Amino acid sequence: MRDETVQLGDIEMYYETEGAGEPLLLLHGGTGCHDNWKHAARDQFVREYALIMPDARGHGRTTNPSRKITHRQCALDTLALLDHLGISKCRAIGLSMGGNILLHMATLQPDRIEAMVVVSAAMYFPELARAIMRQVPAARDQPPQEWETMRQRHKQGDQQIVALWEWARDLKDSYDDMNFTPPCLSRITAST
């Protein structure tokens, strides 16, 4: 396994690579990090693919000086990482936020994503999802065990963790980032 941090625009993106073969991009969910993939079938994937596991903007060990996060910007960050690695096309799996990032990647640059699995992704956030987002506790109301879990994942300090919880709550008011129309989704050429 190899880990590296690379400057991509305004962020320093942390990522790990492992294995050999065709590239397989693994994108974690919101408030998660690359380590979430150790609980998946990573051992099976690594036998066949070169795994690429980045920490999204503001997550894990990746910085976020602006403190703003959108799925679209995370998609642009990830495409820049693929450029840095010299990868013109890959397969990908995205969980929740990672799936939302993949939807953006596959509509922004359809030729880059050969095949993708999107798990718990959304074309838009329906009212039921927004109701759940409204219930995300503020940082001051998070239980100690949740702080401990977040500190294990996110290495930029408590302000990073507070920003992630604020972002998760603020998604309830986001209407343009995840707002895919059928014509927009029809640009996807990846086997999905």
Side-chain angles (χ1 to χ4, degrees):
M1 182 162 352
R2 192 184 92 181
D3 65 321
E4 189 173 333
T5 301
V6 61
Q7 185 75 39
L8 300 173
D10 66 331
I11 65 169
E12 293 178 12
M13 180 178 271
Y14 176 85
Y15 67 97
E16 291 185 359
T17 56
E18 182 178 9
E22 291 187 38
L24 177 62
L25 181 63
L26 300 176
L27 300 176
H28 63 78
T31 74
C33 69
H34 72 281
D35 270 348
N36 295 144
W37 290 101
K38 71 182 175 190
H39 303 293
R42 184 163 142 182
D43 292 341
Q44 293 173 350
F45 294 147
V46 80
R47 290 186 212 138
E48 196 171 335
Y49 297 100
L51 306 182
I52 305 155
M53 299 163 286
D55 284 345
R57 174 179 288 261
H59 289 72
R61 296 178 181 163
T62 296
T63 63
N64 185 20
S66 72
R67 289 181 57 120
K68 291 175 65 180
I69 300 172
T70 66
H71 297 93
R72 182 180 296 111
Q73 182 58 58
C74 290
L76 294 169
D77 297 338
T78 307
L79 290 165
L81 175 63
L82 293 178
D83 290 342
H84 169 77
L85 296 172
I87 297 171
S88 60
K89 184 176 272 200
C90 70
R91 295 176 180 178
I93 302 173
L95 303 175
S96 190
M97 174 191 179
N100 294 342
I101 292 168
L102 271 177
L103 289 175
H104 277 291
M105 291 175 71
T107 56
L108 290 167
Q109 295 184 20
D111 294 342
R112 300 294 295 271
I113 307 298
E114 179 182 346
M116 65 181 183
V117 175
V118 291
V119 180
S120 297
M123 297 183 327
Y124 62 92
F125 295 135
E127 182 50 40
L128 181 58
R130 293 176 191 283
I132 293 168
M133 293 166 190
R134 283 186 203 98
Q135 295 175 12
V136 173
R140 69 180 176 279
D141 299 326
Q142 294 286 348
Q145 66 270 24
E146 193 61 29
W147 273 100
E148 182 58 34
T149 298
M150 292 292 275
R151 285 179 178 132
Q152 290 173 12
R153 291 181 188 157
H154 306 291
K155 305 303 180 184
Q156 305 289 326
D158 285 357
Q159 288 306 309
Q160 175 192 26
I161 296 167
V162 169
L164 286 171
W165 280 324
E166 288 173 356
W167 165 74
R169 280 181 69 92
D170 290 347
L171 284 173
K172 72 187 182 314
D173 299 319
S174 172
Y175 289 90
D176 62 335
D177 185 37
M178 294 307 299
N179 191 15
F180 289 101
T181 62
C184 181
L185 291 173
S186 73
R187 292 196 298 255
I188 296 174
T189 59
S191 175
T192 304

